[in-house]
Amino acid sequence: MNIGAECYYRFLNGDNSGLEELVKMFNDNLILFINGYVKNLAIAEDLAADTFAELIVKRSPYIEKYSFKTWLFRIARNNAIDYIRKYKRHSHIALSDSDAAEEGALESSVVRSEQQEELRACLKKIKKDYSDVLYLIYFEEMSYQEAGLVLKKNNKQIKNLVFRAKQALRETMIKEGFNYEEL
Amino acid sequence: MRSYKEQTEKILKLVEQKKKVREKRNNILVTCSLLAACVAIALFSTSLFSDLNQMPTLSVNDQTVTSNKTSVSYKTTDKTKTSKKNTGKPTTTVQTKTTKKAAKSTTGKPDEIIIVPDKSNENKPSAPDKYFSYKNLDENSNDVIIYKGKSYIKTCSLEESDNSRTKLLNVFLGKTTGKIDNKATEDVTSNVNGKVYTVNGYSESFRLGMVTKDKSTEKRYIYIFDDINSLKTSVVSSGSELFNDILHIDKNLSFINFYSGTNLDIALFNQSNILTRISEKNQKLFLDSLNNASLISGDESVFDNNDKKVVLFLNMSDETTVEIYLTKNGYIFCDGLYFKTDSNVYAEVYYSLTE
C-alpha cells in the first residue's frame, strides 16, 4: 500500500488535514534523515518543511509509481545535498547541549527497541553511504529498490552497498561489544 | 523543535512562496522567449534588408548609372553565339592588345556580355557607397574592376615592362584579391588579383589599369579596364568625342594595323599595316571621317550580314590598343558605341582594305 499518497491527494484536493497527517507520519523520520547530512536539527527541520512544500508545488507524477515515502526521502536527500553545497562553511557546526537533547528525543520517536538503539549508535560511526542505506532499510523499512531510488543507485549498486555496509556495521558492533548476530 | 501543527503551517507558507516564485519564473520565461523571438526577427529583417541594400552598382546594357544598386551578371558566350560571331558580328566592346600571349584569352574570342538588371532592387533604399554586393558576378564572368560604384571591363592587356608601367600607370588606387565579395569595404575591388592604378592621360572615370601576374606564365601584365557603360550614357554624339576626347587617338596614335574578312576570331593574328594598302594622306582623311561620324543607336544587327568586315587595330604610343570595327555601309563600332558615316573617303578606304 502506498502510505501517504492518499493523504497527499487529499491535501491537493483542498483538505488541509491531509497535510497534517503527512507531517505526523513522516516529519520526524525526515528530520532525522536530513540531520544525518546537515548535522543541524533546526536546518534539518527547515529542509524537511521545504521538502514537503516542494512535493506539493511540483506535484510529482512518480508518486503513483513508487511509494510516497520513497519520493519524499529522495527529495529530502536532494535538498540536503543542495544545502550542503550552498553553505559548505556551516555544514559542520557543533551541536549544542539543547540540540543534542532534541536529537535524542527525535531518535527515540524513530527507534523503537533497544536493539535499534544499538544499531543507531553504530550507524553514526560508519561511512555516510553505509549508514544511509542501512537507515533506510532497517529504520524506514524500505526495500532495496526503494532505497536505491532515494540514494540514486541501481539494484546492483545498492546490493553491493548494503553488503559492504553490513560488513562495516558488523566490525563496528564487534568493536563496540555489541552482538551483531542478534540484529 | 516545532510542533506538527507549526510545521504544517510553515509548510503551507513555503508552498505559497514557492508558487509565487514559480509564477514569476514562468512570467520571466515567457517574456524572455517573446523578447528573444522579437530580437531574432529584428536581426533577420536587418540582415535581409542589409543584403538587399548591398546589391551592386553596375549596369552595362542599362546605361543609367543613377544608383549603385543594379545587379549585373556576365555570361561568357556559348558555342552557338561564337559560331554566330564567326559570321562577322562583333558582339561587344573588346579591344585588342599588343602582346599575343596576353591577348589570347580576351581578344581572340570576344565574350558577349549579357546584363540582367535586378529589378527586385529598384525600390530598395540606398546603401552607403562603400558597401556593395556582387552576388550575381560569378567567377567565370569577364574580368572587371568595381571602383567607386562603377564597373570597368577589361579591354586591353600588355606585357609589363618598366617602360609601359611608367608610361601608363599613375596613382595607386588599391589592391584587389581576385574575389568580389559581398561585403567589399574597399573603394576598389575586382575578380582579378592585382594592383589598381589610374592611367596616365585618361580620365579615372573612364579608364583604370591593373598590374597582375599570370600564374601559369609567371609573367606580369598590365590590364586596361574601361568603363564602357559610362560611354553609352555620356554626352558622346560624334566620333571625335570618343576617339579624340576620350581615347586620345589624335595625340597618341602610333600606327594602324588592320584585318579584313568575315572571321573576326582570327583578326588578331592576321594583321597588316594599313599603310600597305592606303597612303598616309588617306589614312589621315580616313581618321577625319571617323571623327565626323555620328552616333547612332545601332545594335549588332548592322554587322549581321555576310559582308567583309574590317578591324582596325590602332596602336597607341602608350602601348595600348584601340579596336574599331567597320562595315561596308559606313557603320563603325567601337567601345560599345555605333557610329555612321557617309564619307566617300571611308568608302574608298573600306574597299581598299577589303580588296
Side-chain angles (χ1 to χ4, degrees), chain A residues 11 19-20 23-24 27-28 45-46 49-50 52-53 57-58 102 106, chain B residues 1-5 7-12 14-16 18-19 22:
Chain A
F11 172 73
L19 180 62
E20 280 177 27
V23 172
K24 278 180 192 168
N27 192 48
D28 291 348
E45 202 174 10
D46 286 344
D50 199 52
F52 279 112
V57 173
K58 287 189 176 172
E102 280 182 351
L106 200 64
Chain B
M1 288 279 293
R2 286 187 286 263
S3 67
Y4 292 140
K5 200 175 180 184
Q7 181 75 337
T8 309
E9 283 169 7
K10 167 95 176 164
I11 291 166
L12 289 172
L14 282 172
V15 168
E16 289 303 314
K18 281 178 182 287
K19 279 183 179 173
R22 275 172 79 90

PDB file of all heavy atoms in Angstrom, chain A residues 11 19-20 23-24 27-28 45-46 49-50 52-53 57-58 102 106, chain B residues 1-5 7-12 14-16 18-19 22:
ATOM      1  N   PHE A  11      -4.892  16.322   0.377  1.00  0.00           N
ATOM      2  CA  PHE A  11      -4.464  17.714   0.562  1.00  0.00           C
ATOM      3  C   PHE A  11      -4.532  18.481  -0.763  1.00  0.00           C
ATOM      4  O   PHE A  11      -4.985  19.629  -0.814  1.00  0.00           O
ATOM      5  CB  PHE A  11      -3.043  17.766   1.127  1.00  0.00           C
ATOM      6  CG  PHE A  11      -2.480  19.165   1.148  1.00  0.00           C
ATOM      7  CD1 PHE A  11      -2.955  20.094   2.080  1.00  0.00           C
ATOM      8  CD2 PHE A  11      -1.517  19.571   0.244  1.00  0.00           C
ATOM      9  CE1 PHE A  11      -2.458  21.394   2.094  1.00  0.00           C
ATOM     10  CE2 PHE A  11      -1.028  20.866   0.255  1.00  0.00           C
ATOM     11  CZ  PHE A  11      -1.501  21.785   1.188  1.00  0.00           C
ATOM     12  N   LEU A  19      -2.427  17.148   4.892  1.00  0.00           N
ATOM     13  CA  LEU A  19      -1.030  17.576   5.111  1.00  0.00           C
ATOM     14  C   LEU A  19      -0.609  17.318   6.558  1.00  0.00           C
ATOM     15  O   LEU A  19       0.514  16.860   6.821  1.00  0.00           O
ATOM     16  CB  LEU A  19      -0.891  19.052   4.757  1.00  0.00           C
ATOM     17  CG  LEU A  19       0.506  19.638   4.921  1.00  0.00           C
ATOM     18  CD1 LEU A  19       1.521  18.955   4.005  1.00  0.00           C
ATOM     19  CD2 LEU A  19       0.497  21.137   4.638  1.00  0.00           C
ATOM     20  N   GLU A  20      -1.524  17.599   7.474  1.00  0.00           N
ATOM     21  CA  GLU A  20      -1.198  17.377   8.897  1.00  0.00           C
ATOM     22  C   GLU A  20      -0.853  15.911   9.136  1.00  0.00           C
ATOM     23  O   GLU A  20       0.093  15.579   9.859  1.00  0.00           O
ATOM     24  CB  GLU A  20      -2.380  17.795   9.766  1.00  0.00           C
ATOM     25  CG  GLU A  20      -2.446  19.313   9.970  1.00  0.00           C
ATOM     26  CD  GLU A  20      -3.669  19.718  10.773  1.00  0.00           C
ATOM     27  OE1 GLU A  20      -4.162  18.893  11.569  1.00  0.00           O
ATOM     28  OE2 GLU A  20      -4.142  20.852  10.572  1.00  0.00           O
ATOM     29  N   VAL A  23       2.557  15.143   7.825  1.00  0.00           N
ATOM     30  CA  VAL A  23       3.599  15.662   8.717  1.00  0.00           C
ATOM     31  C   VAL A  23       3.762  14.738   9.919  1.00  0.00           C
ATOM     32  O   VAL A  23       4.887  14.414  10.316  1.00  0.00           O
ATOM     33  CB  VAL A  23       3.254  17.106   9.159  1.00  0.00           C
ATOM     34  CG1 VAL A  23       4.224  17.585  10.233  1.00  0.00           C
ATOM     35  CG2 VAL A  23       3.292  18.051   7.966  1.00  0.00           C
ATOM     36  N   LYS A  24       2.640  14.326  10.470  1.00  0.00           N
ATOM     37  CA  LYS A  24       2.720  13.419  11.635  1.00  0.00           C
ATOM     38  C   LYS A  24       3.419  12.112  11.252  1.00  0.00           C
ATOM     39  O   LYS A  24       4.211  11.559  12.006  1.00  0.00           O
ATOM     40  CB  LYS A  24       1.308  13.113  12.154  1.00  0.00           C
ATOM     41  CG  LYS A  24       0.758  14.201  13.052  1.00  0.00           C
ATOM     42  CD  LYS A  24      -0.644  13.823  13.509  1.00  0.00           C
ATOM     43  CE  LYS A  24      -1.301  15.058  14.157  1.00  0.00           C
ATOM     44  NZ  LYS A  24      -2.739  14.860  14.373  1.00  0.00           N
ATOM     45  N   ASN A  27       7.395  13.497   9.402  1.00  0.00           N
ATOM     46  CA  ASN A  27       8.235  14.640   9.750  1.00  0.00           C
ATOM     47  C   ASN A  27       9.480  14.233  10.552  1.00  0.00           C
ATOM     48  O   ASN A  27      10.598  14.603  10.198  1.00  0.00           O
ATOM     49  CB  ASN A  27       7.404  15.657  10.541  1.00  0.00           C
ATOM     50  CG  ASN A  27       8.135  16.981  10.678  1.00  0.00           C
ATOM     51  OD1 ASN A  27       8.653  17.500   9.692  1.00  0.00           O
ATOM     52  ND2 ASN A  27       8.199  17.513  11.893  1.00  0.00           N
ATOM     53  N   ASP A  28       9.270  13.440  11.621  1.00  0.00           N
ATOM     54  CA  ASP A  28      10.404  13.095  12.490  1.00  0.00           C
ATOM     55  C   ASP A  28      11.469  12.294  11.738  1.00  0.00           C
ATOM     56  O   ASP A  28      12.664  12.578  11.837  1.00  0.00           O
ATOM     57  CB  ASP A  28       9.908  12.291  13.705  1.00  0.00           C
ATOM     58  CG  ASP A  28       9.079  13.165  14.639  1.00  0.00           C
ATOM     59  OD1 ASP A  28       9.109  14.413  14.429  1.00  0.00           O
ATOM     60  OD2 ASP A  28       8.411  12.629  15.512  1.00  0.00           O
ATOM     61  N   GLU A  45      15.063  20.632  10.148  1.00  0.00           N
ATOM     62  CA  GLU A  45      13.615  20.866  10.273  1.00  0.00           C
ATOM     63  C   GLU A  45      13.115  21.754   9.124  1.00  0.00           C
ATOM     64  O   GLU A  45      12.076  21.468   8.502  1.00  0.00           O
ATOM     65  CB  GLU A  45      13.347  21.557  11.615  1.00  0.00           C
ATOM     66  CG  GLU A  45      11.941  21.383  12.102  1.00  0.00           C
ATOM     67  CD  GLU A  45      11.784  21.974  13.508  1.00  0.00           C
ATOM     68  OE1 GLU A  45      12.713  22.671  13.988  1.00  0.00           O
ATOM     69  OE2 GLU A  45      10.727  21.757  14.098  1.00  0.00           O
ATOM     70  N   ASP A  46      13.875  22.809   8.842  1.00  0.00           N
ATOM     71  CA  ASP A  46      13.502  23.702   7.729  1.00  0.00           C
ATOM     72  C   ASP A  46      13.531  22.967   6.399  1.00  0.00           C
ATOM     73  O   ASP A  46      12.651  23.130   5.551  1.00  0.00           O
ATOM     74  CB  ASP A  46      14.466  24.893   7.664  1.00  0.00           C
ATOM     75  CG  ASP A  46      14.195  25.884   8.780  1.00  0.00           C
ATOM     76  OD1 ASP A  46      13.104  25.786   9.385  1.00  0.00           O
ATOM     77  OD2 ASP A  46      15.069  26.732   9.052  1.00  0.00           O
ATOM     78  N   ALA A  49      10.527  20.792   6.033  1.00  0.00           N
ATOM     79  CA  ALA A  49       9.352  21.582   5.627  1.00  0.00           C
ATOM     80  C   ALA A  49       9.441  21.929   4.143  1.00  0.00           C
ATOM     81  O   ALA A  49       8.449  21.864   3.399  1.00  0.00           O
ATOM     82  CB  ALA A  49       9.277  22.849   6.474  1.00  0.00           C
ATOM     83  N   ASP A  50      10.649  22.274   3.747  1.00  0.00           N
ATOM     84  CA  ASP A  50      10.862  22.631   2.338  1.00  0.00           C
ATOM     85  C   ASP A  50      10.593  21.429   1.425  1.00  0.00           C
ATOM     86  O   ASP A  50      10.058  21.568   0.324  1.00  0.00           O
ATOM     87  CB  ASP A  50      12.312  23.109   2.179  1.00  0.00           C
ATOM     88  CG  ASP A  50      12.492  23.899   0.916  1.00  0.00           C
ATOM     89  OD1 ASP A  50      11.721  24.848   0.700  1.00  0.00           O
ATOM     90  OD2 ASP A  50      13.388  23.542   0.117  1.00  0.00           O
ATOM     91  N   PHE A  52       8.486  18.932   1.975  1.00  0.00           N
ATOM     92  CA  PHE A  52       7.028  18.775   1.845  1.00  0.00           C
ATOM     93  C   PHE A  52       6.472  19.808   0.851  1.00  0.00           C
ATOM     94  O   PHE A  52       5.669  19.467  -0.029  1.00  0.00           O
ATOM     95  CB  PHE A  52       6.358  18.968   3.215  1.00  0.00           C
ATOM     96  CG  PHE A  52       6.415  17.754   4.099  1.00  0.00           C
ATOM     97  CD1 PHE A  52       7.181  17.745   5.266  1.00  0.00           C
ATOM     98  CD2 PHE A  52       5.683  16.609   3.790  1.00  0.00           C
ATOM     99  CE1 PHE A  52       7.233  16.634   6.084  1.00  0.00           C
ATOM    100  CE2 PHE A  52       5.726  15.495   4.621  1.00  0.00           C
ATOM    101  CZ  PHE A  52       6.516  15.508   5.762  1.00  0.00           C
ATOM    102  N   ALA A  53       6.897  21.027   1.052  1.00  0.00           N
ATOM    103  CA  ALA A  53       6.386  22.119   0.198  1.00  0.00           C
ATOM    104  C   ALA A  53       6.716  21.847  -1.275  1.00  0.00           C
ATOM    105  O   ALA A  53       5.884  22.053  -2.169  1.00  0.00           O
ATOM    106  CB  ALA A  53       6.991  23.449   0.638  1.00  0.00           C
ATOM    107  N   VAL A  57       4.157  21.573  -4.405  1.00  0.00           N
ATOM    108  CA  VAL A  57       4.167  22.513  -5.531  1.00  0.00           C
ATOM    109  C   VAL A  57       4.443  21.799  -6.850  1.00  0.00           C
ATOM    110  O   VAL A  57       3.790  22.043  -7.857  1.00  0.00           O
ATOM    111  CB  VAL A  57       5.217  23.625  -5.282  1.00  0.00           C
ATOM    112  CG1 VAL A  57       5.363  24.498  -6.524  1.00  0.00           C
ATOM    113  CG2 VAL A  57       4.832  24.473  -4.095  1.00  0.00           C
ATOM    114  N   LYS A  58       5.398  20.891  -6.809  1.00  0.00           N
ATOM    115  CA  LYS A  58       5.790  20.228  -8.073  1.00  0.00           C
ATOM    116  C   LYS A  58       4.836  19.108  -8.477  1.00  0.00           C
ATOM    117  O   LYS A  58       4.816  18.707  -9.633  1.00  0.00           O
ATOM    118  CB  LYS A  58       7.215  19.676  -7.951  1.00  0.00           C
ATOM    119  CG  LYS A  58       8.258  20.772  -7.986  1.00  0.00           C
ATOM    120  CD  LYS A  58       9.652  20.218  -8.080  1.00  0.00           C
ATOM    121  CE  LYS A  58      10.660  21.349  -8.200  1.00  0.00           C
ATOM    122  NZ  LYS A  58      12.028  20.879  -8.109  1.00  0.00           N
ATOM    123  N   GLU A 102      17.493  17.400  21.872  1.00  0.00           N
ATOM    124  CA  GLU A 102      16.387  17.320  20.908  1.00  0.00           C
ATOM    125  C   GLU A 102      16.590  16.164  19.942  1.00  0.00           C
ATOM    126  O   GLU A 102      15.654  15.453  19.583  1.00  0.00           O
ATOM    127  CB  GLU A 102      16.301  18.629  20.130  1.00  0.00           C
ATOM    128  CG  GLU A 102      15.597  19.736  20.896  1.00  0.00           C
ATOM    129  CD  GLU A 102      15.482  21.011  20.100  1.00  0.00           C
ATOM    130  OE1 GLU A 102      16.088  21.105  19.009  1.00  0.00           O
ATOM    131  OE2 GLU A 102      14.799  21.928  20.557  1.00  0.00           O
ATOM    132  N   LEU A 106      14.205  12.990  19.285  1.00  0.00           N
ATOM    133  CA  LEU A 106      13.772  12.661  17.912  1.00  0.00           C
ATOM    134  C   LEU A 106      14.089  11.208  17.583  1.00  0.00           C
ATOM    135  O   LEU A 106      13.263  10.481  17.025  1.00  0.00           O
ATOM    136  CB  LEU A 106      14.494  13.595  16.931  1.00  0.00           C
ATOM    137  CG  LEU A 106      13.869  13.763  15.568  1.00  0.00           C
ATOM    138  CD1 LEU A 106      12.504  14.406  15.677  1.00  0.00           C
ATOM    139  CD2 LEU A 106      14.786  14.630  14.715  1.00  0.00           C
TER     140      LEU A 106
ATOM    141  N   MET B   1      12.415  22.553  18.539  1.00  0.00           N
ATOM    142  CA  MET B   1      11.641  21.773  17.561  1.00  0.00           C
ATOM    143  C   MET B   1      10.226  22.317  17.484  1.00  0.00           C
ATOM    144  O   MET B   1       9.603  22.630  18.496  1.00  0.00           O
ATOM    145  CB  MET B   1      11.594  20.293  17.984  1.00  0.00           C
ATOM    146  CG  MET B   1      12.891  19.562  17.807  1.00  0.00           C
ATOM    147  SD  MET B   1      13.163  19.008  16.140  1.00  0.00           S
ATOM    148  CE  MET B   1      11.903  17.777  15.943  1.00  0.00           C
ATOM    149  N   ARG B   2       9.744  22.390  16.220  1.00  0.00           N
ATOM    150  CA  ARG B   2       8.371  22.853  16.031  1.00  0.00           C
ATOM    151  C   ARG B   2       7.398  21.690  16.227  1.00  0.00           C
ATOM    152  O   ARG B   2       7.745  20.539  15.960  1.00  0.00           O
ATOM    153  CB  ARG B   2       8.197  23.412  14.616  1.00  0.00           C
ATOM    154  CG  ARG B   2       8.844  24.760  14.424  1.00  0.00           C
ATOM    155  CD  ARG B   2       8.470  25.315  13.068  1.00  0.00           C
ATOM    156  NE  ARG B   2       9.167  24.645  11.983  1.00  0.00           N
ATOM    157  CZ  ARG B   2      10.274  25.110  11.413  1.00  0.00           C
ATOM    158  NH1 ARG B   2      10.823  26.236  11.848  1.00  0.00           N
ATOM    159  NH2 ARG B   2      10.845  24.465  10.427  1.00  0.00           N
ATOM    160  N   SER B   3       6.210  22.064  16.672  1.00  0.00           N
ATOM    161  CA  SER B   3       5.176  21.022  16.773  1.00  0.00           C
ATOM    162  C   SER B   3       4.706  20.669  15.358  1.00  0.00           C
ATOM    163  O   SER B   3       5.013  21.388  14.389  1.00  0.00           O
ATOM    164  CB  SER B   3       3.998  21.527  17.600  1.00  0.00           C
ATOM    165  OG  SER B   3       3.341  22.570  16.887  1.00  0.00           O
ATOM    166  N   TYR B   4       3.933  19.597  15.249  1.00  0.00           N
ATOM    167  CA  TYR B   4       3.444  19.184  13.933  1.00  0.00           C
ATOM    168  C   TYR B   4       2.600  20.274  13.280  1.00  0.00           C
ATOM    169  O   TYR B   4       2.662  20.512  12.079  1.00  0.00           O
ATOM    170  CB  TYR B   4       2.622  17.898  14.046  1.00  0.00           C
ATOM    171  CG  TYR B   4       3.458  16.673  14.429  1.00  0.00           C
ATOM    172  CD1 TYR B   4       2.970  15.732  15.328  1.00  0.00           C
ATOM    173  CD2 TYR B   4       4.717  16.477  13.869  1.00  0.00           C
ATOM    174  CE1 TYR B   4       3.725  14.626  15.670  1.00  0.00           C
ATOM    175  CE2 TYR B   4       5.474  15.373  14.218  1.00  0.00           C
ATOM    176  CZ  TYR B   4       4.973  14.458  15.113  1.00  0.00           C
ATOM    177  OH  TYR B   4       5.734  13.369  15.448  1.00  0.00           O
ATOM    178  N   LYS B   5       1.792  20.949  14.167  1.00  0.00           N
ATOM    179  CA  LYS B   5       0.911  21.995  13.637  1.00  0.00           C
ATOM    180  C   LYS B   5       1.749  23.157  13.079  1.00  0.00           C
ATOM    181  O   LYS B   5       1.471  23.688  11.988  1.00  0.00           O
ATOM    182  CB  LYS B   5      -0.014  22.485  14.746  1.00  0.00           C
ATOM    183  CG  LYS B   5      -1.236  23.193  14.196  1.00  0.00           C
ATOM    184  CD  LYS B   5      -2.188  23.571  15.302  1.00  0.00           C
ATOM    185  CE  LYS B   5      -3.403  24.283  14.703  1.00  0.00           C
ATOM    186  NZ  LYS B   5      -4.322  24.766  15.733  1.00  0.00           N
ATOM    187  N   GLN B   7       4.779  23.010  12.124  1.00  0.00           N
ATOM    188  CA  GLN B   7       5.494  22.551  10.922  1.00  0.00           C
ATOM    189  C   GLN B   7       4.562  22.590   9.703  1.00  0.00           C
ATOM    190  O   GLN B   7       4.965  22.999   8.607  1.00  0.00           O
ATOM    191  CB  GLN B   7       6.017  21.115  11.156  1.00  0.00           C
ATOM    192  CG  GLN B   7       6.810  20.523  10.003  1.00  0.00           C
ATOM    193  CD  GLN B   7       8.218  21.100   9.882  1.00  0.00           C
ATOM    194  OE1 GLN B   7       8.487  22.199  10.356  1.00  0.00           O
ATOM    195  NE2 GLN B   7       9.112  20.374   9.240  1.00  0.00           N
ATOM    196  N   THR B   8       3.290  22.202   9.930  1.00  0.00           N
ATOM    197  CA  THR B   8       2.318  22.228   8.833  1.00  0.00           C
ATOM    198  C   THR B   8       2.102  23.659   8.332  1.00  0.00           C
ATOM    199  O   THR B   8       2.062  23.909   7.112  1.00  0.00           O
ATOM    200  CB  THR B   8       0.968  21.644   9.316  1.00  0.00           C
ATOM    201  OG1 THR B   8       1.196  20.395   9.924  1.00  0.00           O
ATOM    202  CG2 THR B   8       0.009  21.474   8.151  1.00  0.00           C
ATOM    203  N   GLU B   9       1.971  24.583   9.298  1.00  0.00           N
ATOM    204  CA  GLU B   9       1.796  25.994   8.904  1.00  0.00           C
ATOM    205  C   GLU B   9       3.000  26.497   8.122  1.00  0.00           C
ATOM    206  O   GLU B   9       2.883  27.217   7.137  1.00  0.00           O
ATOM    207  CB  GLU B   9       1.566  26.856  10.150  1.00  0.00           C
ATOM    208  CG  GLU B   9       0.141  26.712  10.688  1.00  0.00           C
ATOM    209  CD  GLU B   9      -0.016  27.347  12.062  1.00  0.00           C
ATOM    210  OE1 GLU B   9       0.945  28.001  12.529  1.00  0.00           O
ATOM    211  OE2 GLU B   9      -1.088  27.170  12.655  1.00  0.00           O
ATOM    212  N   LYS B  10       4.164  26.105   8.625  1.00  0.00           N
ATOM    213  CA  LYS B  10       5.404  26.504   7.924  1.00  0.00           C
ATOM    214  C   LYS B  10       5.396  25.973   6.481  1.00  0.00           C
ATOM    215  O   LYS B  10       5.767  26.666   5.536  1.00  0.00           O
ATOM    216  CB  LYS B  10       6.599  25.943   8.707  1.00  0.00           C
ATOM    217  CG  LYS B  10       7.919  25.980   7.995  1.00  0.00           C
ATOM    218  CD  LYS B  10       8.702  27.194   8.357  1.00  0.00           C
ATOM    219  CE  LYS B  10      10.082  27.149   7.702  1.00  0.00           C
ATOM    220  NZ  LYS B  10      10.726  28.426   7.717  1.00  0.00           N
ATOM    221  N   ILE B  11       4.963  24.726   6.358  1.00  0.00           N
ATOM    222  CA  ILE B  11       4.935  24.121   5.017  1.00  0.00           C
ATOM    223  C   ILE B  11       3.970  24.878   4.114  1.00  0.00           C
ATOM    224  O   ILE B  11       4.289  25.182   2.955  1.00  0.00           O
ATOM    225  CB  ILE B  11       4.527  22.624   5.112  1.00  0.00           C
ATOM    226  CG1 ILE B  11       5.650  21.823   5.777  1.00  0.00           C
ATOM    227  CG2 ILE B  11       4.257  22.045   3.725  1.00  0.00           C
ATOM    228  CD1 ILE B  11       5.228  20.434   6.216  1.00  0.00           C
ATOM    229  N   LEU B  12       2.807  25.233   4.662  1.00  0.00           N
ATOM    230  CA  LEU B  12       1.822  25.962   3.858  1.00  0.00           C
ATOM    231  C   LEU B  12       2.366  27.316   3.404  1.00  0.00           C
ATOM    232  O   LEU B  12       2.148  27.737   2.256  1.00  0.00           O
ATOM    233  CB  LEU B  12       0.524  26.144   4.656  1.00  0.00           C
ATOM    234  CG  LEU B  12      -0.287  24.867   4.861  1.00  0.00           C
ATOM    235  CD1 LEU B  12      -1.443  25.103   5.817  1.00  0.00           C
ATOM    236  CD2 LEU B  12      -0.823  24.346   3.529  1.00  0.00           C
ATOM    237  N   LEU B  14       5.509  28.027   2.992  1.00  0.00           N
ATOM    238  CA  LEU B  14       6.530  27.736   1.949  1.00  0.00           C
ATOM    239  C   LEU B  14       5.876  27.434   0.598  1.00  0.00           C
ATOM    240  O   LEU B  14       6.366  27.839  -0.448  1.00  0.00           O
ATOM    241  CB  LEU B  14       7.396  26.546   2.377  1.00  0.00           C
ATOM    242  CG  LEU B  14       8.488  26.840   3.401  1.00  0.00           C
ATOM    243  CD1 LEU B  14       9.127  25.555   3.866  1.00  0.00           C
ATOM    244  CD2 LEU B  14       9.558  27.749   2.788  1.00  0.00           C
ATOM    245  N   VAL B  15       4.762  26.707   0.666  1.00  0.00           N
ATOM    246  CA  VAL B  15       4.052  26.368  -0.577  1.00  0.00           C
ATOM    247  C   VAL B  15       3.611  27.645  -1.295  1.00  0.00           C
ATOM    248  O   VAL B  15       3.789  27.779  -2.515  1.00  0.00           O
ATOM    249  CB  VAL B  15       2.836  25.459  -0.273  1.00  0.00           C
ATOM    250  CG1 VAL B  15       1.920  25.345  -1.482  1.00  0.00           C
ATOM    251  CG2 VAL B  15       3.302  24.080   0.152  1.00  0.00           C
ATOM    252  N   GLU B  16       3.042  28.585  -0.529  1.00  0.00           N
ATOM    253  CA  GLU B  16       2.606  29.846  -1.136  1.00  0.00           C
ATOM    254  C   GLU B  16       3.788  30.578  -1.778  1.00  0.00           C
ATOM    255  O   GLU B  16       3.705  31.072  -2.905  1.00  0.00           O
ATOM    256  CB  GLU B  16       1.958  30.750  -0.071  1.00  0.00           C
ATOM    257  CG  GLU B  16       0.606  30.256   0.408  1.00  0.00           C
ATOM    258  CD  GLU B  16      -0.375  30.090  -0.750  1.00  0.00           C
ATOM    259  OE1 GLU B  16      -0.469  30.994  -1.589  1.00  0.00           O
ATOM    260  OE2 GLU B  16      -1.018  29.022  -0.827  1.00  0.00           O
ATOM    261  N   LYS B  18       6.631  29.361  -2.777  1.00  0.00           N
ATOM    262  CA  LYS B  18       7.147  28.645  -3.955  1.00  0.00           C
ATOM    263  C   LYS B  18       6.242  28.829  -5.167  1.00  0.00           C
ATOM    264  O   LYS B  18       6.717  28.943  -6.299  1.00  0.00           O
ATOM    265  CB  LYS B  18       7.299  27.145  -3.641  1.00  0.00           C
ATOM    266  CG  LYS B  18       8.539  26.815  -2.849  1.00  0.00           C
ATOM    267  CD  LYS B  18       8.627  25.351  -2.527  1.00  0.00           C
ATOM    268  CE  LYS B  18       9.842  25.032  -1.696  1.00  0.00           C
ATOM    269  NZ  LYS B  18      11.101  25.082  -2.426  1.00  0.00           N
ATOM    270  N   LYS B  19       4.929  28.857  -4.889  1.00  0.00           N
ATOM    271  CA  LYS B  19       4.004  29.066  -6.008  1.00  0.00           C
ATOM    272  C   LYS B  19       4.223  30.434  -6.642  1.00  0.00           C
ATOM    273  O   LYS B  19       4.213  30.579  -7.876  1.00  0.00           O
ATOM    274  CB  LYS B  19       2.557  28.927  -5.525  1.00  0.00           C
ATOM    275  CG  LYS B  19       2.097  27.494  -5.414  1.00  0.00           C
ATOM    276  CD  LYS B  19       0.648  27.417  -4.995  1.00  0.00           C
ATOM    277  CE  LYS B  19       0.184  25.962  -4.917  1.00  0.00           C
ATOM    278  NZ  LYS B  19      -1.156  25.838  -4.357  1.00  0.00           N
ATOM    279  N   ARG B  22       7.387  30.394  -8.653  1.00  0.00           N
ATOM    280  CA  ARG B  22       7.185  29.667  -9.923  1.00  0.00           C
ATOM    281  C   ARG B  22       6.432  30.522 -10.938  1.00  0.00           C
ATOM    282  O   ARG B  22       6.767  30.540 -12.130  1.00  0.00           O
ATOM    283  CB  ARG B  22       6.396  28.368  -9.666  1.00  0.00           C
ATOM    284  CG  ARG B  22       7.272  27.214  -9.243  1.00  0.00           C
ATOM    285  CD  ARG B  22       6.407  26.054  -8.839  1.00  0.00           C
ATOM    286  NE  ARG B  22       5.898  25.326  -9.999  1.00  0.00           N
ATOM    287  CZ  ARG B  22       6.526  24.295 -10.563  1.00  0.00           C
ATOM    288  NH1 ARG B  22       7.691  23.902 -10.091  1.00  0.00           N
ATOM    289  NH2 ARG B  22       6.006  23.679 -11.591  1.00  0.00           N
TER     290      ARG B  22
END
